[in-house]
Amino acid sequence: MNSFNKNKLGFETRAIHVGQEPDPTTGAVMTPIYLTSTYVQESPGQHKGYEYSRTKNPTRYAYEQCLASLENGKYGFAFASGCSATTVALHLLSAGDEVIAGDDMYGGTFRLFDKVLSRHGIQFNYVDMTSVESVQRLISKKTKMIWLETPTNPTLKIFDIEKISALAKNTHILLAVDNTFMSPYFQRPLDLGADMVVHSTTKYINGHSDVVGGAIVTRSDELAERLGFLSNSLGPIASPMDSYLALRSLKTLSLRMKAHQQNAFSVVHFLKDHAKIEKVIYPGLESHPQFAIAKKQMHGFGGMISMYVKGGMPQAKKFLEKVRLFSLAESLGGVESLIGHPASMTHASIPIELRKKLGIDDNLIRLSVGIETDSDLIADLQQALEHI
Ligand code: P1T
C-alpha cells in the first residue's frame, strides 16, 4: 500500500488504510498504542522522526493523518477535547482581533469565547449567519476569523459555508467550521472553502461515548505550521489510548453515519405529526427553513433531531424522566441514543435572554439518535410521550 497515493481512494478505504501501515518492527496490522513519552536519539537531534510525545506520537500521528484525509485536508491535529481544539484554533489570533461567530453554538464554546478568550482581548460578535449580509455588515479591519457550527447546536440552523467562505476569502479572514454534527462523512467544509475544520471527536468521530477528544484539520501549509507550533506550545494533545480508540472508530464512521441517519428519518417521521409535539427540527425535512442549503452542502442529514414538546418545563421534564432506551445525558454522536434538555444541560452557560432569543426554550429537547433498532427507539419515545 506504500507505493500509491491513498488519498485518491474512496472514503471507506481511506478510513481503514490512511496513516495505518503495518508496524515496521513487528508487522502488526493494527496501529499499536505507543505508550511512550519519549524516544531514544542516536546522537543529539538524530532520531526516527519522534522526540517527545507532546510534539508527535506514532498512534496520534496515524489518527491525525487518517482524519485529515477524510476531511479532504492535508494536516490533522488531535487534542484532548473539542474545547481544547477550539482553544488552540483561537490562539491563532492576538489581543485586539475580532471574531464573527454564529449566534447558535455549543454552550461550552460560547462560554470559552465569552468568559475566557474575551478576557484576553479577543472580541466576539455573534450573528445569525442564515443572513450572509448580516455577516458581511460585521466585517471590520479587525476581523480575523469567522467561526461557525453548521448544523448549529442545538437548533440545527444551517449556514451556507460556500457563501460565507467567499466573504472570508475576499477579506483575508480565516473561516473555521465546527463540523462535529455532520462528521466528514456527511459534510466536508474544506471543499466548500473553509480554512479549518474543527471537531469535538467525542461525538461521531469516536462514536462510542468512551473518549473525550477534539481535532483540527487544514489544507494550508502555513496554518498547519502555526497550528503545530500552538499544539506543541499549549500542549493539550490527545493521548495515545484515545487516539487509538478514535482511529479504530474511524474505520466504521461511514457505516455508523448511514445508520444514524436512517434511524433519524424513522424517528422524525414518527414525531413530526405526533399530538404531543409542537415542532420537529431536522435538516432533512423539506420544511426546514434552510433545507435547500442543507441539500446543497451536505451529503446527508445526520442523526441529530431537535423538537419542542407541547407545554413547558414540567412536560419536558416528565417526558425526559420516562424514556428508557434513550439515556438522558449530555453529549451526542454515540452508537447509543441520547436525549438532552439544552436549556438546563448543554446550553445552561448561555444567558437566559440569549437562550430565549435563539429558541433554546424549556420545552426544547435534543435527540442524538443511535443505531439501535428503529422501532424500539420509536416505541420508547411513544411510551414516554404518553406521560405528558
Ligand atoms: O466536549 P468537547 O469534546 O470538549 O467538545 C466541545 C464541543 C464542540 N463543538 C460542538 C459542536 C459540540 O457539540 C461540543 C460538545 N458538545 C456537547 C457536549 C453537547 O452535548 O452538545
Side-chain angles (χ1 to χ4, degrees), residues 1 19 24 47 78-79 93 97 122 129 133 137 150 153-155 175 187 193 197 201 212 215 226 279 290 305 372-373:
M1 290 289 277
H47 51 74
F79 300 103
L93 306 186
D97 290 347
I122 298 174
M129 294 191 180
E133 295 72 37
R137 272 197 294 276
T150 181
N153 182 359
T155 63
L175 173 61
Q187 178 169 270
V197 174
T201 55
V212 173
R226 292 171 65 199
K279 185 179 165 191
Q290 293 93 40
I305 302 169
E372 302 94 333
T373 310

Side-chain angles (χ1 to χ4, degrees), residues 81-84 86 106 109 149 153 178 180-181 200 202-203 212-213 330-332 346-347 366:
S81 67
C83 283
S84 54
T86 305
Y106 169 56
T109 307
E149 288 176 10
N153 182 359
D178 183 329
T180 298
F181 270 35
S200 167
T202 314
K203 316 299 190 266
V212 173
E330 309 240 355
S331 205
L332 58 109
T346 47
H347 294 72
R366 193 189 73 181

Side-chain angles (χ1 to χ4, degrees), residues 61-83:
Y61 186 54
Y63 163 49
E64 290 171 334
Q65 286 177 290
C66 187
L67 184 57
S69 173
L70 297 184
E71 283 287 2
N72 288 344
K74 211 163 142 192
Y75 305 97
F77 301 90
F79 300 103
S81 67
C83 283

Side-chain angles (χ1 to χ4, degrees), residues 61-284:
Y61 186 54
Y63 163 49
E64 290 171 334
Q65 286 177 290
C66 187
L67 184 57
S69 173
L70 297 184
E71 283 287 2
N72 288 344
K74 211 163 142 192
Y75 305 97
F77 301 90
F79 300 103
S81 67
C83 283
S84 54
T86 305
T87 302
V88 169
L90 267 295
H91 273 77
L92 290 165
L93 306 186
S94 306
D97 290 347
E98 290 186 13
V99 177
I100 303 174
D103 58 347
D104 188 36
M105 62 172 73
Y106 169 56
T109 307
F110 177 79
R111 180 177 55 204
L112 174 62
F113 289 178
D114 189 53
K115 295 271 189 300
V116 183
L117 295 165
S118 61
R119 282 200 292 115
H120 296 278
I122 298 174
Q123 190 185 311
F124 294 87
N125 302 305
Y126 303 94
V127 66
D128 179 354
M129 294 191 180
T130 55
S131 158
V132 178
E133 295 72 37
S134 304
V135 181
Q136 187 157 28
R137 272 197 294 276
L138 282 175
I139 293 177
S140 78
K141 281 209 172 66
K142 290 185 177 169
T143 310
K144 294 288 152 60
M145 187 182 283
I146 296 176
W147 180 280
L148 64 93
E149 288 176 10
T150 181
T152 64
N153 182 359
T155 63
L156 306 178
K157 287 194 285 193
I158 309 289
F159 299 148
D160 191 323
I161 301 173
E162 211 161 17
K163 284 210 175 124
I164 296 170
S165 92
L167 284 184
K169 290 265 164 347
N170 288 338
T171 43
H172 305 288
I173 296 167
L174 289 175
L175 173 61
V177 175
D178 183 329
N179 199 25
T180 298
F181 270 35
M182 280 298 108
S183 89
Y185 187 68
F186 282 141
Q187 178 169 270
R188 290 181 285 278
L190 299 179
D191 289 349
L192 301 167
D195 298 291
M196 264 184 292
V197 174
V198 181
H199 276 284
S200 167
T201 55
T202 314
K203 316 299 190 266
Y204 290 108
I205 298 284
N206 183 65
H208 296 74
S209 301
D210 51 8
V211 166
V212 173
I216 305 177
V217 175
T218 185
R219 280 181 189 164
S220 152
D221 299 341
E222 190 231 325
L223 268 185
E225 174 95 31
R226 292 171 65 199
L227 288 166
F229 173 80
L230 287 170
S231 170
N232 192 39
S233 304
L234 292 162
I237 41 102
S239 73
M241 184 69 195
D242 287 351
S243 299
Y244 167 81
L245 285 168
L247 177 61
R248 177 179 161 140
S249 295
L250 283 181
K251 294 174 194 287
T252 56
L253 181 65
S254 66
L255 298 173
R256 288 185 284 110
M257 292 315 293
K258 279 186 249 190
H260 282 294
Q261 164 162 275
Q262 196 176 330
N263 277 0
F265 267 111
S266 301
V267 169
V268 162
H269 286 305
F270 162 71
L271 290 172
K272 78 178 173 21
D273 300 315
H274 196 284
K276 303 279 176 71
I277 307 286
E278 196 178 292
K279 185 179 165 191
V280 175
I281 309 171
Y282 182 65

